[in-house]
Amino acid sequence: MFQRFRHITALAAAIAAVQLLTAATGKEFFLTQLTMAGYYTLVIIGLCLLMGYAGQISLGHAGFFAIGGYTSAVLTTVDLSAWKAAPAISLLAKSGILTGRADLYGGQILTVHPWAAFLCALCITIVVAFLIGVPVLKLKGHYLAMATLGFGTIIYSVVLATSRFGAADGISSVPAFPLLPGLAVTGGSSQRVANYYFAWLLVTVGMLLLINLIHSRVGRALRSIHGAEDAAGAMGVDAARYKLNTFILSAVYAAVAGVFLTHYNGGIGPSEASIMKSVRYVAIVAVGGMGSLWGTLIMSAVLNFLSLRGYFGTFDDAVFGSILIAVMLFSPEGVLKLDIRSLVGRWIRTDRKAGA
Amino acid sequence: MFLELFFQYLVAGLTYGTIYAVVGIGFNIIYNTTGIINFAQGEFVMLGGMTAVSLHAFLPLPLAIAGAVLVTMAVGGLIEMLFIRWLVKPSVLRMIIITIGVSILIREGALHLWGEGIRSLPYFTGNEVSAIEIGGVRVSPQVLWALGVAAIVVLLLNVFFHYTMLGREMRACASNRDAAALCGIPTRNMVTLSFVVSAGIGALAGCVVSPITQTQYGIGAGLAIKGFTVAILGGLGNSMAAVGAGFILGILESFSIWVMPTAYKDAISITILLAMLFARPSGLFGNSEAARLKEF
Amino acid sequence: MLKVRNLDVAYGSLSVLHHLSLHVKQGEIVTIIGANGAGKTTLLRTITGLLRPRSGSIRFREEEIGSLPTENIVSRGCSLVPEGRQVFAAMPVRENLLLGAYVQFKRGRREEVHRDLERIYGLFPVLKQREHQLAGTLSGGEQQMLAIGRALMAGPSLIMLDEPSMGLAPLIVKDIFAIVRQLGKEGGTVLLVEQNARSALRIADRGYVLENGRIVLEGAAENLLANREIQRAYLGKDVDAENK
Ligand SMILES: Nc1ncnc2c1ncn2[C@@H]1O[C@H](COP(=O)(O)OP(=O)(O)OP(=O)(O)O)[C@@H](O)[C@H]1O
Ligand SMILES: [Mg+2]
C-alpha cells in the first residue's frame, strides 16, 4: 500500500527533477521530446495492462491512437461556417460546442471546440474498441495477434486512402487545446514547461488508476485470466468481460494520448497509425517486462526520448526490431526485472555493509 | 467490352492470387513443423525479388533468379538457426514477437541495402505490351509464367512431401514432433529445413511476379497479412487448400475495384480475414475435425 | 545395458522424480509398475531425451546419454513406444513403419529394413493386411501394434514400452503381452511400464514399484507378485478390474 504511494511520489519527484535539470543545464528544448515521450508512455502503460496483466497481445494499438488523434484533428479543423445558417449548426454554435477562430490565412472559420472533439474521440474509440474487442478477444495466440494486426492495418490503409484525413500528408494546423485560462496544449515554446508537466501529469494519473486497478479485485481476476483462462472461468471469473473492459480501457489510454499529442504537435500523419508504431509499443512493453508497469514506464520514457531526439538515426525501426528480438531471446521477463533489480539489490546491500 | 474487362480483372486476380497462395503455403510449411506463424514470411518474397534484380545486373536472368532463391533460402535457414532453434518450448507470444522483430530487421536491412526505390525484373519473355491471345482474351506472358511456376511449385512440393524420404520425415515431424524424434529423425534439422523450403518458394514467387507487381523493401508486411489470410481461408496447416484460397482472395480483391476505390483494396482482404477468424477459424474448406489433422 | 543413477526430474518448480535409480541388464524384461501420476511416463521420456533431467546420470551401454538429443539416443539403440501410441495419423501403415527405420536408412541398411518389415508383418499380421490404410483410421489395438512395430523397425537393443495395454480390450492386451514375452525370448531387452501389474509381472524377470517419483520396492518378478503389500496396492485393483 505505502509502496504504491512511494512509487508515485518518486515518479512525481523524477518528473520535477528532469524539468529542473533541463532548466539548469539550459537544455530546455529537450522538454519537447520529453512531452511527446510522455504521451507515448500513456499509450504504452495502457497496453502494458492489456498484455502484461490480461495476457492479450495487441498489434493494433496505433490504430486507437490514430482514431483519437484523427477524430480530434478532423473535428477541430473542418470549417463549418458555410452551414452556419442550418438550424442544427447554429444551435451547436450557440451551445459552445462549435467555436469560431481565425485560420492560418486570417479568415474566420467555425469548427468543433477541442473539448467537444475530445469527448467525441473518446466515444468513437470506446465504440470501436467494443465492436472489435468482442470478437477479437475470443481468439488466442497467433489468431489474436493477426486479428489485431489486421485491425491496425485497416485503420492505416483507410487513413492513407481517405482525402478527408489528408491521405499521405495527414492533417495539419490543428489548433491548441485550451485547458485552463492561460494554459493550453500546444507546441509553442512559451508553454513548453507547462505542457511537459501536463503530459506527465496525465501519465501519473494514468499510473495511479492502473495501479489501483491491479491491486483491486479486478486485478486479481486479470492475473488469473493470464495464468489460465479455463481455470479462471472455473473460479467464476467472467474472463471475457474482464478482457473486454481491459481492452477498452487500454484503447482509451491510446486515444487520449492521440488527442493531446495531435494538439501538441499541431497535426497528425498516417505514420502514427502504422504497424511499426504498434510494434514499437509492443516492443517497449516487452522490454519493460510484460506485467511490470514501472519497468514499462521507465523503458518507455527512455526509449521514446532517445528515438524522438533522433539518436537512433536512420536505424530507428531497426533498433526497435533488435530490441524486440534480444529481449524475447534472452530475457522474456524484461530487462529491468532480471538483472538490474538484483544488481541494485546487491549494490544496496554491500553499500549498507560498507556504511555500517 | 464488359467481358473483356471482366477477364482483365480475373487475370490480375490470378496473378496476385499466385503470390498470396505461395506465401500462404510458406506459412503452412513452417506452421506444420513448428507450430509457429512466421511473421517474416512476406519478407522472403521481397528478398527474392530484390536480390534477383541486383544479381541480374551481372548475371543472366535464370542464374540471377536461381541465385536469389538460394540466397533467400540461406537467410531462411539462418533465421531459424539464430533465433528459433535453441529456444526450449517458447510461448506463442514470444515466437510472434521474435518473428516480427526478424521481419523488421530484414526490412530495415533491405532499406539500407537497396533504398526506397521500386524495382522489377524484366519480363521473362517479351515485354510489358506483348500479349498472348487465349480465346479472344489478351494475357501477358508473364501471367502465364507466374501461373506455370506456381503450378510447378505446388506439384514439386507434393512430390517432395509424399514421395521422398526427406519429405515424409518433415511430415512426420509436423504430425507429431516427439514421435518423429523417437523414430530417430533429427527434428530440429527438419524445422530448419522447413524455413529453408518456405523461404525458397517465397523467393521464387517474388521473382516470377516481380515484372508485374514490382518489388520494394516494404512489401513484405502487406504480403504476410495476405498470405496469412489465405492460410486461414484454406485452413491453417493445409497447404494445398491455400492455393485455392489464394486465388479466391486475389480475384475478390481484384473485383473489389469495381465497387470500391482502389485504395481500399487492402482493407477488403483484411476484413475478409477478420470475418473468417470470427466465423470460421478452421477455414473455408475444412471442418474443424480435419483442421486438427495437420497435413501438407 | 541401462543404468539410471539418482535421477531428479521436474516440470518447472514441480519436482516429479526424486533420486531415482534403476538398471536393466542385457536380455532382461524389466517392468515398472505404479499408480497414475507416479512418474512412469516422465521417467521414460527423460531416458529418451524428450525431457531433460535436473540432475543424475543415465548410462546406456556404458555411455552417458543424459544430455543427448532424442534422435541420437534412438540411433544408439534405445527406443520408446510412447504412451498413447502417437502414430503418424495422416500416413499409411507402411510409411509409419518405414519412418521407424530412419536410423537404419541412415546407416545404409536397406536390406535389413526390408527384412525387418517382413518380421514385423510376421509378428502383427494385421498390419500387413492394413499396409496402405491411414494409421489414424486403425483401431486402438492396431495402432498400438503399429507403434510397437515402428519402434522395432529401428532395430533397438533396448525397447521401452509405456503402458501398451492402456485402453485396450483384454483379448488384445493378451496378444500384446504375448508379443512382449516373445521379444524377450528372442533375446531382446525390454523395459515395460504398466499399470496392469499382474500381467506385467507375469512376463517380467524383475520389477520396480514406483510411488510418487520414488522407487519403493524392487526385486524378482515372482517375489513381487507374492508380496502382500503389492497384492493389496496393485494387484487388488487388478482383481477388481477382472471381476467386472
Ligand atoms: N507437462 C507436464 N507439466 C507439468 N506437470 C506434469 C507434466 N506431465 C506430467 N506432469 C506431472 O508429473 C507427474 C507424473 O506424471 P507422469 O505422466 O510421469 O505419470 P505416470 O506415472 O505416467 O501416470 P499414468 O499412469 O497416468 O500415465 C504427475 O503428477 C503429472 O501431473
Ligand atoms: Mg504415463
Side-chain angles (χ1 to χ4, degrees), chain C residues 11 14 16 34-43 83 162-163 195:
Chain C
Y11 294 102
L14 174 73
V16 173
N36 288 109
K40 307 181 294 295
T41 303
T42 305
L43 172 62
E83 184 173 15
D162 195 347
E163 298 199 39
Q195 285 198 46

Side-chain angles (χ1 to χ4, degrees), chain B residues 29-30 33-34 76-78 80-81 84-86 160 166-167 169-171 173-174 177 180-181 184-197, chain C residues 69 71-72 102 106:
Chain B
I29 291 176
I30 292 181
T33 45
T34 60
L78 219 59
E80 197 277 338
M81 286 192 263
I84 313 239
R85 177 173 268 250
W86 48 282
F160 173 67
L166 195 58
E169 283 149 22
M170 279 181 74
R171 280 171 68 211
C173 189
R177 200 159 162 185
I185 297 170
T187 48
R188 279 180 306 178
N189 295 352
M190 296 298 138
V191 173
T192 313
L193 190 62
S194 73
F195 271 79
V196 171
V197 169
Chain C
E71 58 263 26
N72 294 2
Y102 177 86
K106 262 279 131 82

Side-chain angles (χ1 to χ4, degrees), chain B residues 18-64:
Chain B
T18 316
I19 195 163
Y20 298 161
V22 172
V23 178
I25 293 176
F27 267 121
N28 283 329
I29 291 176
I30 292 181
Y31 177 77
N32 277 338
T33 45
T34 60
I36 294 171
I37 289 294
N38 171 28
F39 280 71
Q41 197 66 39
E43 261 40 73
F44 294 147
V45 178
M46 180 272 291
L47 267 186
M50 295 302 261
T51 313
V53 173
S54 290
L55 290 179
H56 187 45
F58 51 88
L59 284 178
L61 190 60
L63 280 184

Side-chain angles (χ1 to χ4, degrees), chain A residues 13-261:
Chain A
I15 291 169
V18 167
Q19 190 267 319
L20 293 177
L21 201 67
T22 56
T25 53
K27 301 251 185 217
E28 266 154 343
F29 51 87
F30 277 2
L31 287 182
T32 306
Q33 285 80 27
L34 284 167
T35 307
M36 293 166 74
Y39 289 123
Y40 286 129
T41 300
L42 194 59
V43 186
I44 289 165
I45 57 173
L47 185 62
C48 180
L49 178 77
L50 182 67
M51 282 179 60
Y53 290 87
Q56 313 295 309
I57 192 173
S58 167
L59 290 169
H61 253 52
F64 291 116
F65 182 97
I67 289 177
Y70 270 99
T71 307
S72 192
V74 167
L75 292 180
T76 54
T77 54
V78 166
D79 183 14
L80 299 172
S81 48
W83 293 280
K84 220 183 261 170
I89 297 290
S90 68
L91 193 72
L92 286 175
K94 269 192 210 114
S95 65
I97 290 176
L98 298 186
T99 169
R101 64 182 167 89
D103 74 359
L104 224 51
Y105 314 103
Q108 195 64 25
I109 59 170
L110 185 68
T111 61
V112 178
H113 190 277
W115 275 103
F118 174 61
L119 291 180
C120 203
L122 281 194
C123 291
I124 293 177
T125 305
I126 290 171
V127 170
V128 172
F130 179 81
L131 292 179
I132 291 288
V134 167
V136 160
L137 293 173
K138 290 209 180 91
L139 305 170
K140 287 200 183 82
H142 299 119
Y143 295 91
L144 178 65
M146 271 294 179
T148 51
L149 186 67
F151 161 72
T153 313
I154 289 183
I155 300 286
Y156 178 64
S157 51
V158 165
V159 162
L160 202 56
T162 310
S163 55
R164 180 49 76 227
F165 296 139
D169 299 330
I171 300 176
S172 54
S173 60
V174 173
F177 190 109
L179 292 168
L180 295 168
L183 175 63
V185 174
T186 168
S189 60
S190 61
Q191 302 246 3
R192 199 188 264 147
V193 175
N195 264 286
Y196 165 79
Y197 276 111
F198 176 69
W200 284 94
L201 177 73
L202 274 185
V203 174
T204 311
V205 172
M207 277 305 268
L208 252 169
L209 267 175
L210 291 186
I211 289 169
N212 279 321
L213 193 72
I214 287 164
H215 290 282
S216 69
R217 211 165 43 81
V218 180
R220 279 196 301 280
L222 284 179
R223 257 168 309 209
S224 73
I225 293 171
H226 194 175
E229 214 157 289
D230 301 333
M235 278 156 49
V237 176
D238 185 354
R241 213 191 55 207
Y242 279 115
K243 280 197 294 185
L244 183 63
N245 290 346
T246 314
F247 187 70
I248 294 176
L249 184 67
S250 73
V252 165
Y253 271 57
V256 169
V259 169
F260 285 115
L261 187 55

Side-chain angles (χ1 to χ4, degrees), chain C:
Chain C
M1 174 157 281
L2 178 74
K3 263 207 187 88
V4 175
R5 281 278 163 274
N6 291 330
L7 194 67
D8 279 297
V9 183
Y11 294 102
S13 60
L14 174 73
S15 184
V16 173
L17 299 182
H18 320 271
H19 284 313
L20 188 144
S21 299
L22 60 81
H23 67 274
V24 180
K25 286 192 263 199
Q26 174 96 43
E28 267 189 326
I29 298 184
V30 174
T31 184
I32 300 174
I33 57 179
N36 288 109
K40 307 181 294 295
T41 303
T42 305
L43 172 62
L44 295 193
R45 287 175 65 84
T46 310
I47 294 174
T48 46
L50 292 170
L51 290 173
R52 291 274 159 240
R54 180 160 285 182
S55 65
S57 105
I58 306 170
R59 298 182 75 81
F60 180 68
R61 291 158 115 192
E62 307 307 320
E63 186 191 359
E64 180 62 44
I65 57 168
S67 57
L68 291 180
T70 303
E71 58 263 26
N72 294 2
I73 294 173
V74 173
S75 72
R76 279 166 172 67
C78 175
S79 280
L80 170 67
V81 181
E83 184 173 15
R85 313 188 255 279
Q86 313 206 8
V87 294
F88 302 121
M91 293 190 216
V93 168
R94 194 184 151 85
E95 275 183 25
N96 266 271
L97 290 174
L98 289 178
L99 280 165
Y102 177 86
V103 295
Q104 298 282 54
F105 280 118
K106 262 279 131 82
R107 298 196 187 98
R109 297 194 187 148
R110 284 176 184 278
E111 249 92 291
E112 279 91 335
V113 170
H114 287 281
R115 217 188 44 222
D116 286 349
L117 194 62
E118 289 316 312
R119 177 169 155 247
I120 305 293
Y121 285 152
L123 278 177
F124 306 105
V126 63
L127 294 184
K128 171 91 183 160
Q129 288 166 24
R130 308 276 157 121
E131 205 174 350
H132 300 292
Q133 191 173 327
L134 293 187
T137 62
L138 295 178
S139 77
E142 289 160 352
Q143 286 191 12
Q144 186 63 56
M145 295 177 195
L146 177 57
I148 297 176
R150 188 179 62 188
L152 288 173
M153 286 297 287
S157 43
L158 167 68
I159 184 163
M160 305 188 286
L161 299 102
D162 195 347
E163 298 199 39
S165 71
M166 190 166 73
L168 300 182
L171 217 59
I172 297 180
V173 172
K174 226 172 165 180
D175 280 354
I176 295 214
F177 277 106
I179 297 285
V180 175
R181 184 195 292 246
Q182 191 180 332
L183 290 177
K185 280 217 188 91
E186 288 170 4
T189 313
V190 181
L191 179 58
L192 172 68
V193 157
E194 260 302 334
Q195 285 198 46
N196 199 337
R198 184 183 301 271
S199 314
L201 286 170
R202 276 198 186 130
I203 61 166
D205 300 315
R206 285 192 303 119
Y208 290 89
V209 180
L210 189 61
E211 248 173 44
N212 295 325
R214 290 189 175 81
I215 300 280
V216 292
L217 259 180
E218 59 174 295
E222 53 266 38
N223 294 349
L224 291 180
L225 263 175
N227 184 307
R228 292 249 299 282
E229 242 173 277
I230 295 191
Q231 281 178 350
R232 208 186 54 238
Y234 297 99
L235 304 179
K237 254 203 302 196
D238 250 353
V239 172
D240 289 346
E242 276 160 22
N243 288 347
K244 250 186 215 160

Side-chain angles (χ1 to χ4, degrees), chain A residues 51 57 59 132 135-136 139 141-143 145-151 153-154 157-158 161-162 275-276 279 282 286 290 314-322 324-325 328-332, chain B residues 27 31 35-37 39 82-84 86-87 92-98 100-105 107-108 111-112 221 224-225 228 232 236 263-264 266-267 270-271 273-274 277-278 281:
Chain A
M51 282 179 60
I57 192 173
L59 290 169
I132 291 288
V136 160
L139 305 170
H142 299 119
Y143 295 91
M146 271 294 179
T148 51
L149 186 67
F151 161 72
T153 313
I154 289 183
S157 51
V158 165
T162 310
I275 294 302
M276 257 325 290
V279 169
V282 171
M290 309 247 182
T314 50
F315 294 98
D316 209 29
D317 286 342
V319 165
F320 281 93
S322 315
L324 264 187
I325 297 179
M328 282 296 118
L329 282 184
F330 302 114
S331 165
Chain B
F27 267 121
Y31 177 77
I36 294 171
I37 289 294
F39 280 71
L82 284 179
F83 302 121
I84 313 239
W86 48 282
L87 295 180
V92 170
L93 188 64
R94 209 167 150 198
M95 288 323 305
I96 291 173
I97 296 182
I98 288 178
I100 288 178
V102 168
S103 79
I104 293 171
L105 286 193
R107 187 155 62 239
E108 291 300 302
L111 176 62
H112 283 273
I225 295 186
F228 184 77
I232 294 289
L236 201 53
Y264 293 113
D266 286 348
I270 296 160
T271 313
L273 167 67
L274 292 181
L277 282 178
F278 303 152

